[in-house]
Amino acid sequence: MKKNTLQKSVAVALTGAMVMGTLTGCGSSNTTTTTDSTSTETTTASTEAAATTTETTEAAATETVAGIEGWEPFAEKVTLQIPVYDRGDSGNGCSDVENNYWTKWVQENFGDKYNIDVQYVGITRSAVMNDYAMLAAAQDLPTICMEYDYDKLAAWEADGYLQPYDVEQFKQIAPTYWANMEENGLTGYTKLEDEDYLLLGKRPYGNTNYTFVTFYREDWLKEAGYDEYPSTTTELLELYAKLVENGHEYPLGGSKVSGAGADQNYGFRDRPQDEVTWATTGDYQIPALSTEAQKRFLKLENELYNKGYKNPEYYLRDASEVEADFINGKTFTWSGYVSSTMNVLNSFYEANPDGDLGVVVCADKLITDETWGSTNSFRPNNVFGAMVGFANDATEDEVKAAMMYMEWMAQDENLFTMTWGEEGVNYTVGEDGNPVAVGDQSGLEQQQGHNNNVDYWMIVTASKSLGSIEKDIAAIAPQGIPEDFYQDLLDNYYGQLALYENGDANVDCLFATSLDSVTEYGTTLKEDVYPEYRDQLTMCAPEEFDALYEELSQKYLDAGYQAIIDERQAAFDDGLTTRLQ
Amino acid sequence: MSKAKQRGTQVVTKTSWKNAFKRDWQLYLLVLFPLIMVFVFSYAAYPGLRMAFMDYKPARGYAGSEWVGMATFAKIFKDADFIRALRNSIIFNVLDLLVGFPMPIILALILNELRYPRFKKVSQTILYLPHFLSWAIIGSVALTMFKPSSGLVNIVLMALGVIDEGIPFLNESMHWSVTYLLIGVWQSMGWGTILYLAAITGINGELYEAAMIDGANRWKRMWHITLPGIKSTVVTLLIMNLGRVMGSNLERLKAFENTQVKEVQYQLAVYIYNKGIGNGKFSMATAVGLFQSLIGLALVLISDRVAKKLGEDGLL
């Protein structure tokens, strides 16, 4: 070959490759990873199954027999995209949420059977709305759109993300799931703007918040001369002073605050609550700056900061540093969701072999601190868990596949396996015959996702349940550590339940309509404005607090919070909300 | 002389397009790649700009979203946060330009004067390195070093008795501004020298020899030969940098973000990300982006015109 010809050929080849590379890059980027687990065997099987049913099945679910019995494989392969939270460093399970042992297990046991390609789509836990907006903009919403918060679903409906579904069709395809909804009183929450958009997972013991607890250093408590964890804010402040005296610098640590759920004021509200205040400012999503309850909350934050109980650099610190402080024995408390596998506790006992921890237990009656206006009340959860809608661009078959997936996951045996994993690997059977999760699953091929795969089975239930709270708490009590918190967790549950039943803890108000002002201002208020103002209020001199609170409250109202209050009030007046229980 | 005669004596240099392509087709093929890149990533995105004039809802697409004309712009210009972001962007970018633009030139002149090649190369490498660090890393390192009480720098200064309490490098507006600008200069100055050093190598060495014979010292050679020699490069880069006065680097701002300095840290990139993209308001993000680009374009065109009036080559 002549040198010239060679050069020309190379030039052509290189250019072609580069051009193709560019054009490939411009194609619709599929952010999902196919759970391409299908072994040759299963692929063949499903192909054969599909081939044999081509003649008879247009769609998967026949109209005669309800539930799984009536299902047939789809004639053409259907792609089903399901969102799964990607919790990054804050998760405690396997790192690849889109493609792992359990996503493959779903594909093999569900997808392949019905000619459905199950794809999981990672959704950043801390940026749910943003991720969904990006997917919507790319016309690539997952078939199922799922979240725990009602207002997010309402916003999605208002923005055209969702399509309504046929309740009768759902009952036909997924009778078990629907029965769960009926049993838990959830069928009244399906409508948005008078159409059926939502399906709801259950939340066992939703009237409490028993899975979120605060661990404290019992050894520090005893060292300070206390036998029990203080029950009022005033007593707590006295304890903190003693902790500092005992050489524990900044015993409360602290990190920067932002986003949904920040600075909840449930323990600072007047009880019983005023219904209008509850409806207009009582949610946990958008901090209620300008209310009396938030003022009490922030005044205490100001005290904690100025007295040196909080780390003065808290606004520069991440949540991971709070965890690290606790693990390293630098702080008094750590709060988080409790589960059988808790990395933070495993690490704590490793670093502090003599460390002695306790769980803060909610008293079974309302205790009020007159000085700080605080109580031991809390935020009960909604009665429902995940709320499910179907993407507006999902085809009829895709919606059917999604309904089938929900029904399949709601089957006891499937839910059990997804929750507990494999016997002898992810769990063992205790003396009482109940499963006991393996505390540390790291390194296992079968390692589950965060909190025993919760982000996969949340579509059915928000927490695992074996039928009684005693069994359920035994199942989530942290395993593989020197201390047993079962009794404390149980007492905390019953304490919260007593407050709830006495009307001293109330579920948030729900709106049966989307609120434009929340969509317009909500994110900016909670992500941008509130963190700035609350830090100013936390760090100001105590004598300046009241005046600054007035000033910043007005600014906050002007930045959109007043519009939100007004719109919520209007919805409340129009009877479009739930009522205070 | 008649025109016919003139033509007869001229060498025919005009090549037809066809001939040119036939002769250099490999080169044209190679240029196809960058052309496609420019088309796809610059021009193909242009239809998306209509988002700025619509109440764009991602799930509804262009067809299903309402056309609102200039309403988004009107809303943005009334937004106090936008005004704050605009003010900060202009102030900090102008300061960045004032502090950051001359530094690579000075550095290039200094590097050019280094005579020991090994030392010169090592210095250059060390200076280039920060360019390759991501802002996330720089931000974390800066946080560890400059925290008000637990930062390394403050701990050392306090231990030496130089200061009684920590310098608020990152948590007080004025200190933050200086820290932000200087770290920006540190990160980019080494890399910025590359173009100037390349321009310096293009200067005719005989000029230096002649100047030396005439008794010009180093300073004079630098002033009268090197600097004029790279003047056109300086002007070109200045014009290009002026086009960026409305823009800002989101990663850099996010790396140094905290609630205590929001008054100065809140710039247009943050505004677009937080209020626009983070909030799902693509119309707003596009409108601000378009506004930024138009101002940037105007600045480039004006500065180019000014440069040309002053006798420089300009950019366009």
Side-chain angles (χ1 to χ4, degrees):
Chain A
M1 195 186 281
K2 274 185 190 173
K3 196 182 167 194
N4 207 12
T5 318
L6 178 70
Q7 278 175 346
K8 283 176 185 174
S9 309
V10 170
V12 171
L14 278 176
T15 310
M18 286 191 287
V19 170
M20 286 312 290
T22 311
L23 293 175
T24 311
C26 299
S28 156
S29 72
N30 193 346
T31 52
T32 62
T33 307
T34 310
T35 55
D36 193 10
S37 60
T38 41
S39 63
T40 320
E41 231 172 277
T42 50
T43 313
T44 318
S46 68
T47 317
E48 280 168 10
T52 52
T53 52
T54 315
E55 288 168 23
T56 50
T57 57
E58 259 304 305
T62 63
E63 301 302 319
T64 47
V65 186
I68 291 182
E69 299 302 314
W71 296 356
E72 298 283 350
F74 284 98
E76 300 282 328
K77 189 152 223 152
V78 173
T79 301
L80 171 62
Q81 293 191 319
I82 303 159
V84 56
Y85 289 137
D86 189 340
R87 296 170 187 264
D89 286 347
S90 52
N92 61 16
C94 58
S95 53
D96 186 350
V97 296
E98 294 178 346
N99 191 10
N100 57 51
Y101 183 87
W102 295 104
T103 60
K104 288 172 188 167
W105 190 82
V106 173
Q107 178 63 45
E108 281 164 17
N109 289 278
F110 167 71
D112 293 348
K113 257 187 195 168
Y114 302 106
N115 204 18
I116 297 169
D117 180 13
V118 182
Q119 299 180 1
Y120 283 95
V121 182
I123 301 288
T124 313
R125 183 66 186 108
S126 54
V128 172
M129 295 307 269
N130 199 5
D131 275 16
Y132 271 93
M134 292 296 178
L135 290 167
Q139 307 295 313
D140 198 19
L141 277 171
T143 318
I144 284 172
C145 298
M146 177 165 61
E147 242 299 319
Y148 286 115
D149 299 315
Y150 200 81
D151 60 347
K152 287 184 182 147
L153 271 294
W156 288 345
E157 186 276 317
D159 282 351
Y161 285 30
L162 307 178
Q163 59 172 294
Y165 68 93
D166 178 357
V167 173
E168 291 311 315
Q169 184 197 18
F170 186 76
K171 284 183 191 169
Q172 178 71 22
I173 296 175
T176 316
Y177 196 98
W178 186 261
N180 276 344
M181 283 177 58
E182 279 181 331
E183 197 182 313
N184 290 278
L186 307 178
T187 49
Y189 297 98
T190 58
K191 288 192 191 303
L192 283 170
E193 310 290 350
D194 278 338
E195 281 198 273
D196 291 303
Y197 277 98
L198 306 179
L199 289 157
L200 302 99
K202 61 184 175 184
R203 184 183 288 279
Y205 321 108
N207 45 13
T208 67
N209 192 16
Y210 76 101
T211 54
F212 189 87
V213 296
T214 298
F215 291 91
Y216 66 91
R217 294 291 299 261
E218 204 156 12
D219 44 355
W220 289 17
L221 191 81
K222 286 176 185 154
E223 181 193 35
Y226 285 72
D227 292 328
E228 282 187 352
Y229 191 85
S231 58
T232 65
T233 302
T234 305
E235 289 167 14
L236 261 179
L237 289 171
E238 287 166 12
L239 167 65
Y240 295 155
K242 287 198 178 136
L243 294 181
V244 173
E245 266 176 42
N246 290 340
H248 303 298
E249 193 183 34
Y250 314 133
L252 296 182
S255 67
K256 60 183 148 198
V257 167
S258 75
D263 287 1
Q264 297 180 24
N265 64 26
Y266 294 88
F268 292 83
R269 298 180 187 178
D270 288 325
R271 304 280 167 178
Q273 293 193 70
D274 169 61
E275 193 174 27
V276 172
T277 310
W278 164 81
T280 53
T281 61
D283 68 314
Y284 86 110
Q285 289 275 335
I286 304 168
L289 191 71
S290 76
T291 63
E292 193 57 30
Q294 204 69 17
K295 186 176 181 180
R296 290 170 186 162
F297 174 89
L298 288 169
K299 198 155 195 167
L300 180 61
E301 287 293 301
N302 179 279
E303 175 85 0
L304 297 174
Y305 176 83
N306 281 303
K307 284 272 167 70
Y309 304 147
K310 286 204 110 169
N311 190 318
E313 290 176 346
Y314 78 89
Y315 56 89
L316 295 171
R317 293 158 53 85
D318 290 320
S320 60
E321 290 175 81
V322 171
E323 202 172 290
D325 278 352
F326 186 70
I327 290 168
N328 294 325
K330 288 182 180 169
T331 47
F332 180 55
T333 57
W334 178 82
S335 302
Y337 285 99
V338 69
S339 75
S340 47
T341 53
M342 292 185 72
N343 294 344
V344 63
L345 294 189
N346 295 341
S347 306
F348 172 83
Y349 288 109
E350 224 169 83
N352 309 277
D354 301 326
D356 182 9
L357 296 182
V359 167
V360 177
V361 174
C362 178
D364 59 5
K365 61 179 190 302
L366 192 74
I367 298 171
T368 307
D369 183 318
E370 297 300 338
T371 313
W372 293 92
S374 57
T375 68
N376 58 333
S377 191
F378 65 98
R379 174 180 182 265
N381 268 309
N382 292 317
V383 287
F384 47 79
M387 312 189 78
V388 179
F390 302 117
N392 68 344
D393 57 355
T395 63
E396 203 179 314
D397 277 355
E398 285 166 358
V399 171
K400 275 181 188 166
M403 290 175 172
M404 288 162 72
Y405 173 79
M406 293 166 79
E407 175 69 3
W408 177 84
M409 189 65 88
Q411 301 304 306
D412 286 343
E413 62 276 16
N414 299 330
L415 188 61
F416 185 90
T417 308
M418 279 307 282
T419 307
W420 294 101
E422 290 179 5
E423 188 178 349
V425 180
N426 305 95
Y427 75 95
T428 53
V429 179
E431 287 167 11
D432 54 2
N434 288 322
V436 181
V438 171
D440 186 1
Q441 300 184 5
S442 45
L444 293 177
E445 188 200 351
Q446 293 94 331
Q447 186 187 12
Q448 293 179 292
H450 174 75
N451 207 354
N452 297 116
N453 273 344
V454 67
D455 299 326
Y456 298 98
W457 45 260
M458 64 180 272
I459 196 163
V460 175
T461 177
S463 60
K464 46 188 171 187
S465 182
L466 295 166
S468 78
I469 187 66
E470 282 76 14
K471 284 182 185 174
D472 291 341
I473 286 187
I476 60 159
Q479 302 298 314
I481 52 171
E483 293 188 271
D484 179 12
F485 299 111
Y486 169 77
Q487 195 55 47
D488 284 343
L489 294 172
L490 190 65
D491 293 347
N492 185 51
Y493 165 78
Y494 279 116
Q496 290 193 343
L497 185 65
L499 286 192
Y500 176 83
E501 287 178 343
N502 201 33
D504 292 323
N506 315 101
V507 175
D508 288 351
C509 184
L510 294 176
F511 294 81
T513 177
S514 67
L515 301 171
D516 291 344
S517 56
V518 172
T519 315
E520 178 71 25
Y521 305 112
T523 308
T524 305
L525 285 176
K526 69 187 171 202
E527 305 279 353
D528 256 0
V529 187
Y530 183 76
E532 186 182 358
Y533 290 177
R534 65 90 61 199
D535 281 350
Q536 284 186 38
L537 288 159
T538 301
M539 297 164 79
C540 71
E543 61 275 15
E544 292 167 6
F545 181 87
D546 288 347
L548 188 62
Y549 191 82
E550 290 305 311
E551 181 194 330
L552 296 180
S553 292
Q554 193 53 53
K555 280 187 171 179
Y556 193 68
L557 290 166
D558 294 344
Y561 198 49
Q562 186 63 56
I564 289 174
I565 291 173
D566 292 345
E567 199 176 357
R568 284 175 175 168
Q569 171 88 58
F572 178 78
D573 293 341
D574 293 344
L576 294 171
T577 68
T578 51
R579 295 280 158 170
L580 185 63
Q581 292 141 320
Chain B
M1 202 184 288
S2 71
K3 277 185 184 174
K5 270 190 174 174
Q6 260 185 337
R7 236 179 261 133
T9 52
Q10 269 179 345
V11 181
V12 180
T13 52
K14 206 174 174 188
T15 318
S16 77
W17 187 90
K18 256 187 184 173
N19 285 340
F21 185 76
K22 215 172 176 183
R23 191 182 62 212
D24 298 325
W25 66 270
Q26 299 100 322
L27 295 176
Y28 286 106
L29 205 59
L30 277 173
V31 91
L32 192 66
F33 172 65
L35 275 179
I36 290 175
M37 287 267 287
V38 169
F39 177 77
V40 169
F41 292 107
S42 299
Y43 293 98
Y46 272 24
L49 286 175
R50 68 192 136 143
M51 231 184 253
F53 306 96
M54 303 174 95
D55 179 16
Y56 180 72
K57 303 278 186 199
R60 298 191 196 282
Y62 293 114
S65 300
E66 193 189 344
W67 188 267
V68 295
M70 300 298 284
T72 310
F73 288 93
K75 200 164 134 194
I76 290 166
F77 291 126
K78 275 188 217 151
D79 185 355
D81 284 338
F82 173 76
I83 304 300
R84 172 162 75 159
L86 182 63
R87 182 199 67 195
N88 286 338
S89 289
I90 294 172
I91 291 174
F92 277 89
N93 284 316
V94 168
L95 286 174
D96 249 343
L97 202 61
L98 289 177
V99 182
F101 187 74
M103 285 308 291
I105 302 171
I106 296 167
L107 207 61
L109 292 176
I110 294 170
L111 284 171
N112 186 51
E113 293 302 316
L114 294 176
R115 284 291 163 255
Y116 182 50
R118 207 182 173 86
F119 180 71
K120 187 177 172 180
K121 285 204 166 149
V122 170
S123 311
Q124 273 178 291
T125 308
I126 291 171
L127 285 163
Y128 293 163
L129 273 180
H131 172 81
F132 296 102
L133 294 176
S134 80
W135 279 109
I137 294 171
I138 296 173
S140 319
V141 173
L143 201 62
T144 315
M145 290 183 71
F146 298 124
K147 272 185 186 176
S149 50
S150 63
L152 188 66
V153 173
N154 277 322
I155 289 175
V156 170
L157 290 177
M158 280 192 277
L160 293 174
V162 180
I163 51 173
D164 292 330
E165 59 179 58
I167 299 167
F169 291 111
L170 299 173
N171 55 314
E172 191 276 321
S173 295
M174 278 309 290
H175 285 85
W176 182 90
S177 306
V178 175
T179 311
Y180 170 83
L181 286 169
L182 291 183
I183 290 180
V185 170
W186 166 80
Q187 195 262 357
S188 61
M189 66 179 179
W191 191 250
T193 58
I194 291 179
L195 280 175
Y196 297 116
L197 284 170
I200 288 170
T201 53
I203 298 169
N204 190 346
E206 287 172 6
L207 290 172
Y208 290 102
E209 284 166 21
M212 278 161 82
I213 291 166
D214 288 346
N217 60 19
R218 273 191 168 197
W219 176 252
K220 287 202 166 154
R221 291 198 300 266
M222 205 190 281
W223 189 254
H224 294 290
I225 299 171
T226 314
L227 267 179
I230 61 170
K231 199 167 74 173
S232 58
T233 310
V234 172
V235 172
T236 305
L237 286 176
L238 183 64
I239 294 171
M240 286 171 74
N241 275 314
L242 276 169
R244 296 195 198 114
V245 158
M246 292 298 286
S248 42
N249 184 337
L250 181 69
E251 293 98 72
R252 181 177 166 195
L253 289 163
K254 283 277 174 190
F256 295 94
E257 181 178 46
N258 71 71
T259 55
Q260 303 305 294
V261 293
K262 219 161 157 215
E263 199 49 41
V264 284
Q265 179 263 353
Y266 200 78
Q267 299 182 23
L268 282 175
V270 181
Y271 181 86
I272 291 174
Y273 181 74
N274 285 10
K275 270 208 167 176
I277 296 168
N279 221 351
K281 291 181 185 163
F282 296 98
S283 297
M284 191 185 223
T286 311
V288 181
L290 182 60
F291 169 76
Q292 272 183 310
S293 304
L294 288 177
I295 301 284
L297 178 67
L299 282 169
V300 168
L301 293 176
I302 292 167
S303 48
D304 181 63
R305 185 65 61 87
V306 171
K308 278 177 181 158
K309 285 232 159 132
L310 293 174
E312 295 298 329
D313 285 344
L315 182 66
L316 305 167

